[in-house]
Amino acid sequence: LRYWRVTSSKADLADKLEYELDKVEARLEENSSHFVDLITTTLKEHFEKTNKIGVLTAPYDTELFGHWWFEGPRFLKKVFEKLNNSEFVKPATASEAIEKLNPSTVVSLPEGSWGEGGYHYIWLNKDTEWTWRHIYSNEFKMKELAQKFYNSKDERLIFMLKQLARELLLLQASDWQFLISTISARDYAELRVAFHNENFNRIAEIIEKYANTGDLSLEDWNFVVECAERDNLFDDIDLKWWAEVEFP
């Protein structure tokens, strides 16, 4: 949490003004109106010049509206409320716009990313390549176990498989490589990679032992339950997501 306003993008931290909650609503109103006015003006100018309906796309990284801007979600709400009441601009998904306007020209975009240099360096470099060895190995193990057992009627087995999948998804989070490469929280990111990798492999061993022998010790079961209580996201996780993926 930051206790100061942007003030100026060039201002030193010591020169920034304090955050004032009572001024937020007015600034949100001003910012959202300005943004909607820019959208409207741009599309009107396009229509006047071409006599054709235009499509304006503004692809922002959504973390900018939360991580870096506390009121970002409220700003977006105001923008869409204003656009919803506009007589000239109508919000639409990309597929809706394509279907309505039926474009005839295809533009091929080169592969790239928003990371440093426009490529994938931030996620794959000498400091992060070790993480991918764990990720790829665990992906294959997850597919193997899911294809074998996703139809099982054994509730304990399904419970363990779903927790295995959660640990994999947490391991796969691209945040870890980003934090390692930017050195912004490197130790934490490396610990999380190691932590979820260890959890995944131990749960996988427990599952395979249980499937082969029917033996499930209290210690092993408690370990899986402990992981599930701590890493309890993705309530609607579905083992078919891995079971139906074809092996290369």
Side-chain angles (χ1 to χ4, degrees):
L1 295 177
R2 293 166 174 77
Y3 300 99
W4 51 87
R5 287 183 266 167
V6 174
T7 309
S8 168
S9 59
K10 297 180 180 179
D12 183 79
L13 188 59
D15 299 321
K16 290 184 180 290
L17 301 175
E18 290 184 0
Y19 180 90
E20 296 182 64
L21 186 61
D22 58 352
K23 293 185 177 180
V24 167
E25 187 63 26
R27 290 291 286 162
L28 284 173
E29 190 64 30
E30 177 188 340
N31 292 163
S32 59
S33 293
H34 178 239
F35 187 63
V36 170
D37 285 344
L38 284 174
I39 292 172
T40 304
T41 300
T42 301
L43 289 172
K44 279 186 174 180
E45 288 178 351
H46 174 80
F47 184 76
E48 289 168 0
K49 289 179 181 178
T50 66
N51 201 35
K52 294 180 180 178
I53 295 174
V55 176
L56 182 63
T57 305
Y60 294 99
D61 183 346
T62 51
E63 81 160 339
L64 300 175
F65 295 98
H67 178 185
W68 292 109
W69 187 13
F70 186 73
E71 298 86 15
R74 290 166 62 190
F75 164 80
L76 290 173
K77 181 181 179 182
K78 284 181 175 292
V79 165
F80 280 106
E81 286 175 342
K82 290 178 169 66
L83 288 176
N84 206 42
N85 294 324
S86 172
E87 296 180 357
F88 188 83
V89 181
K90 296 300 177 186
T93 64
S95 57
E96 287 171 343
I98 290 173
E99 184 177 342
K100 184 173 183 179
L101 298 179
N102 193 26
S104 59
T105 302
V106 175
V107 177
S108 296
L109 298 176
E111 182 180 354
S113 82
W114 55 264
E116 182 180 338
Y119 299 101
H120 306 294
Y121 164 80
I122 284 292
W123 295 274
L124 179 57
N125 54 62
K126 62 181 179 61
D127 293 324
T128 64
E129 61 182 357
W130 65 274
T131 67
W132 294 102
R133 296 191 190 102
H134 295 307
I135 291 170
Y136 291 146
S137 172
N138 293 355
E139 284 176 349
F140 277 103
K141 176 60 69 174
M142 184 69 227
K143 288 190 286 185
E144 176 189 332
L145 293 175
Q147 288 179 344
K148 282 184 180 179
F149 304 119
Y150 82 99
N151 271 329
S152 172
K153 303 301 181 183
D154 188 325
E155 293 183 0
R156 289 196 296 182
L157 181 58
I158 295 299
F159 177 86
M160 292 190 290
L161 282 166
K162 286 188 174 182
Q163 192 54 38
L164 186 72
R166 292 187 183 96
E167 298 297 338
L168 176 63
L169 289 173
L170 287 166
L171 174 65
Q172 290 172 320
S174 63
D175 304 48
W176 312 139
Q177 289 83 10
F178 182 85
L179 292 173
I180 291 169
S181 298
T182 59
I183 318 181
S184 52
R186 184 170 187 167
D187 291 347
Y188 172 73
E190 290 177 338
L191 283 171
R192 287 293 298 270
V193 171
F195 180 70
H196 294 299
N197 178 59
E198 289 171 3
N199 288 348
F200 180 93
N201 282 287
R202 181 169 176 187
I203 295 173
E205 289 175 2
I206 292 170
I207 289 172
E208 290 182 313
K209 180 181 178 182
Y210 177 65
N212 291 330
T213 67
D215 181 30
L216 182 60
S217 69
L218 182 61
E219 180 184 356
D220 285 344
W221 175 248
N222 285 341
F223 175 78
V224 180
V225 171
E226 180 184 323
C227 289
E229 290 175 347
R230 180 183 55 246
D231 301 331
N232 61 355
L233 66 177
F234 310 128
D235 288 341
D236 60 348
I237 203 161
D238 191 337
L239 296 174
K240 286 184 179 180
W241 299 342
W242 291 273
E244 294 181 354
V245 173
E246 294 183 4
F247 280 86

